[in-house]
Amino acid sequence: MTRRMKLEQMLEKSPQDAFLNFGLAMELAKEGMTEEALSLFDRVLQIDPTYLTAYFQKGNTLINAGRVPEARTALSAGIAAARTLGDSHTESEMQAMLDTLR
């Protein structure tokens, strides 16, 4: 059983688990299933808007797909969320990624 299959199986029992949704999004992104991954990153952020890594990885997935304007939007939202939470480290990581897009 693949990692993706295991995550899908666990999500059947816990569909609101942000960590499991994030893990599946990452697997889908690795497999090149960009739209599905982005949909799950959005689901993670709907479940837990403070899941800062989801903003970062959503931005990264969009960059890898050549969708730079959307990546800027995702990273900017993540920067705002990190600032609100007082997480300056994550804020600076997303800002550095955003800066490379200019």
Side-chain angles (χ1 to χ4, degrees):
M1 183 178 290
T2 66
R3 179 175 168 84
R4 176 181 167 190
M5 291 169 63
K6 288 177 188 175
L7 287 165
E8 289 170 337
Q9 188 177 50
M10 288 186 282
L11 274 168
E12 286 179 17
K13 296 175 186 169
S14 303
Q16 293 297 105
D17 187 305
F19 180 75
L20 292 175
N21 278 282
F22 179 80
L24 182 55
M26 293 297 294
E27 288 300 310
L28 292 170
K30 286 180 199 172
E31 293 175 15
M33 299 180 72
T34 301
E35 292 308 315
E36 295 84 349
L38 293 172
S39 178
L40 278 174
F41 287 129
D42 287 339
R43 180 163 172 71
V44 170
L45 294 169
Q46 187 177 49
I47 294 167
D48 182 1
T50 66
Y51 206 117
L52 299 179
T53 309
Y55 293 101
F56 184 89
Q57 291 300 335
K58 180 180 178 182
N60 192 48
T61 300
L62 287 162
I63 290 166
N64 290 337
R67 295 164 59 177
V68 173
E70 292 171 85
R72 283 189 187 110
T73 300
L75 291 168
S76 294
I79 289 166
R83 192 171 294 137
T84 298
L85 293 169
D87 187 338
S88 59
H89 177 74
T90 303
E91 178 185 348
S92 68
E93 286 183 341
M94 284 190 271
Q95 185 64 56
M97 183 180 280
L98 181 63
D99 290 344
T100 66
L101 302 179
R102 295 190 176 154

